[in-house]
Amino acid sequence: MLKIGITGGIGSGKTTVCRMFEILGIPVFYADDVAKSIMHTDEELKWGIVQTFGAGAYSNAGELNRKYLADIVFQDHAALEKLNALVHPAVFRAFDHWALKQNHAPYILKEAALLFESGSYRMCNYSILVKAPEALKIQRIMQRDQVSADAVKLRMDKQLTDEKKEHFADFTIINDEKQLLMPQVLALHEQFLSMNPLSA
């Protein structure tokens, strides 16, 4: 089955693009949502987090202590890398399991903010980058999350720039509120269908 990775910087609108593919009947794996979920449910991952960050990472009831973990990893880049090294393989396992169930689809999408940073683009046949001008991305996130421009820029600094992501991406969708999104999505959809002999 054809596997397509899709990513974009914060505020790029990659989720909006994914919803358009879903309207066309294409299943989407939302890696960031799954990552949050499996930190509660994947026993191997939970064990690794406790071994690395201490028993305080979970409550007595087994619930993730997000504040405890956030206070550690957002103050210490090395700690954040350790957490990612635990979470990313667990998400990869979840994606593989999910993909096996999508055999009715002509192709599938894997949406991930850190598609290139985590190396998970290597699990995909092709990758899409959703791009938008930086000023527009900042404006969108300020409105969505009610945060300052400086706060948005701090979050952006933790991700690769669009210019660096373009070196890895096979396709680009421009979401600058000038070019229509749906024609770009439809063009890629037709291209991916043509790559799958079962959908012809």
Side-chain angles (χ1 to χ4, degrees), residues 1-2 25-28 98-99 101-109 193 196 198-199:
M1 176 187 291
L2 203 61
I26 302 305
V28 180
W98 173 87
K101 299 177 180 178
Q102 311 304 320
N103 52 12
H104 62 284
Y107 65 93
I108 56 176
L109 287 184
L193 289 179
N196 183 350
L198 296 179
S199 66

Side-chain angles (χ1 to χ4, degrees), residues 6-195:
I6 182 166
T7 192
I10 183 173
S12 62
K14 64 184 179 298
T15 303
T16 300
V17 171
C18 286
R19 300 290 186 225
M20 292 180 173
F21 277 103
E22 286 182 302
I23 289 169
L24 296 171
I26 302 305
V28 180
F29 179 89
Y30 291 94
D32 301 334
D33 292 343
V34 170
K36 292 172 186 173
S37 172
I38 61 175
M39 290 172 84
H40 293 276
T41 59
D42 186 306
E43 294 303 324
E44 183 180 343
L45 174 58
K46 289 171 71 173
W47 183 87
I49 289 172
V50 169
Q51 291 299 306
T52 306
F53 299 103
Y58 287 88
S59 70
N60 292 335
E63 292 295 311
L64 181 69
N65 186 338
R66 291 194 178 280
K67 185 179 187 310
Y68 172 90
L69 207 53
D71 286 346
I72 295 173
V73 301
F74 290 126
Q75 306 290 334
D76 182 346
H77 184 69
L80 179 60
E81 288 190 341
K82 286 179 184 177
L83 179 61
N84 285 338
L86 292 168
V87 174
H88 289 152
V91 175
F92 296 171
R93 292 194 298 271
F95 174 67
D96 285 340
H97 184 70
W98 173 87
L100 290 173
K101 299 177 180 178
Q102 311 304 320
N103 52 12
H104 62 284
Y107 65 93
I108 56 176
L109 287 184
K110 179 182 185 181
E111 184 268 347
L114 301 179
L115 185 75
F116 301 128
E117 293 91 335
S118 70
S120 65
Y121 72 97
R122 296 188 186 96
M123 301 170 68
C124 302
N125 301 99
Y126 299 98
S127 58
I128 302 168
L129 172 63
V130 181
K131 282 183 61 178
E134 183 171 305
L136 183 55
K137 290 192 287 189
I138 292 171
Q139 179 188 339
R140 286 172 179 163
I141 298 303
M142 286 174 66
Q143 290 175 348
R144 187 190 74 186
D145 296 349
Q146 298 297 300
V147 293
S148 68
D150 287 342
V152 178
K153 287 176 184 174
L154 280 174
R155 290 158 72 179
M156 284 180 163
D157 288 344
K158 290 181 168 59
Q159 298 182 346
L160 290 176
T161 63
D162 282 350
E163 288 69 31
K164 289 181 179 176
K165 287 178 180 178
E166 279 186 298
H167 290 295
F168 298 99
D170 299 294
F171 304 98
T172 302
I173 289 178
I174 306 298
N175 186 18
D176 58 3
E177 298 183 2
K178 294 176 183 174
Q179 301 180 58
L180 293 175
L181 277 179
M182 199 52 159
Q184 297 180 72
V185 169
L186 282 169
L188 285 179
H189 178 65
E190 292 299 326
Q191 192 165 347
F192 296 145
L193 289 179
S194 72
M195 293 174 179

